[in-house]
Amino acid sequence: MNLSDIRTLTRDLLDESGTTRFADADLLRWINRGYHRIVRYSELLEQTKYFTAVVGQRTYSLPTDYMSAGWVSLSFLDDDGEEVELDFLNFFQMRRYLSDNDNADPEWWSIFDGQLWVHPRFDQARTVYFRYKRKPTALSADTDSPEIDEALHEALAYWAAYIGCKKDKNHIEAAFHLADFKELTGLGEQIGLRQGDTRMIHEYEDLY
């Protein structure tokens, strides 16, 4: 499905053929929000960036498409060509270990202020692997298609319809669409629903 197909399905779910209640810009924003949410709470769009460590350098720029979500790892190749994974520490833990004279193979890494931090600093030019989840490219043109499995494209329409029904204060229909979104994506409580949304789902489930 492309954006035009997803938007048409969304309007079908909202029982609206025109733009009287919701402008195309509204639907686009909600569709992209659902797209972002699916990627954030799933194992989709995981990527590896390779780079060469600079001797004595502490920080490295994050990829521009890095998504701050869940699973990430940093590793390097040792002298035997074996991959060594570093332990992650939050920055406030790691900064207790930082010192000026600390060149060696790193043991820990962190993310702070848009950068990767390593400790100790590399004492030789190692090959480094940064595995992360990348941001999805937002849909914009009618011919754009999501970079996820086609089976999940329909779920974007259900998410947008869920938001639209919430805007209309049609909570029963909103619950239907949210339940369908969860079923299509296989995502449960990890999708970060607010308490009121969760209660709405339970009320819907009680009806059936």
Side-chain angles (χ1 to χ4, degrees):
M1 298 174 73
N2 59 29
L3 174 58
S4 179
D5 298 327
I6 297 168
R7 187 173 56 237
T8 298
L9 177 55
T10 302
R11 291 204 181 279
D12 288 344
L13 294 171
L14 291 169
D15 196 23
E16 179 184 49
S17 57
T19 58
T20 303
R21 288 158 58 210
F22 304 114
D24 283 348
D26 293 326
L27 299 191
L28 176 61
R29 186 171 64 256
W30 301 337
I31 288 168
N32 275 317
R33 191 181 301 171
Y35 185 18
H36 194 278
R37 191 169 291 252
I38 288 173
V39 172
R40 174 176 290 274
Y41 295 103
S42 69
E43 297 180 357
L44 300 172
L45 302 190
E46 292 178 350
Q47 186 159 300
T48 300
K49 178 183 178 181
Y50 307 86
F51 63 93
T52 301
V54 178
V55 174
Q57 183 170 311
R58 173 83 68 200
T59 61
Y60 299 84
S61 297
L62 285 168
T64 56
D65 60 356
Y66 166 73
M67 173 185 277
S68 177
W71 173 89
V72 286
S73 71
L74 191 72
S75 57
F76 66 89
L77 293 183
D78 66 12
D79 292 334
D80 297 321
E82 298 292 329
E83 188 171 345
V84 178
E85 185 170 340
L86 279 62
D87 291 328
F88 180 84
L89 296 177
N90 71 53
F91 182 74
F92 297 100
Q93 292 174 313
M94 196 176 90
R95 68 177 182 174
R96 293 181 300 176
Y97 301 102
L98 301 182
S99 65
D100 292 332
N101 186 22
D102 61 4
N103 288 4
D105 279 337
E107 298 179 48
W108 305 295
W109 74 286
S110 191
I111 295 176
F112 180 72
D113 198 24
Q115 294 185 306
L116 300 171
W117 292 63
V118 296
H119 176 75
R121 293 173 291 191
F122 285 97
D123 62 355
Q124 54 185 299
R126 299 286 196 190
T127 298
V128 182
Y129 303 90
F130 178 51
R131 295 181 174 88
Y132 65 100
K133 185 171 294 186
R134 68 176 177 86
K135 297 175 184 176
T137 301
L139 305 177
S140 177
D142 283 353
T143 54
D144 288 349
S145 294
E147 304 173 87
I148 54 178
D149 191 273
E150 190 165 359
L152 296 172
H153 293 187
E154 187 176 343
L156 303 182
Y158 281 101
W159 180 266
Y162 153 67
I163 298 295
C165 287
K166 282 186 65 179
K167 296 288 186 183
D168 269 355
K169 300 189 185 304
N170 186 344
H171 299 301
I172 295 297
E173 286 296 321
F176 290 158
H177 299 320
L178 183 56
D180 287 333
F181 173 83
K182 290 179 62 178
E183 182 176 355
L184 286 167
T185 61
L187 299 176
E189 299 307 318
Q190 69 266 40
I191 62 175
L193 297 175
R194 298 174 181 174
Q195 184 175 0
D197 297 326
T198 304
R199 183 172 62 250
M200 185 169 59
I201 294 174
H202 293 329
E203 289 172 354
Y204 157 76
E205 290 172 343
D206 289 343
L207 294 174
Y208 294 87

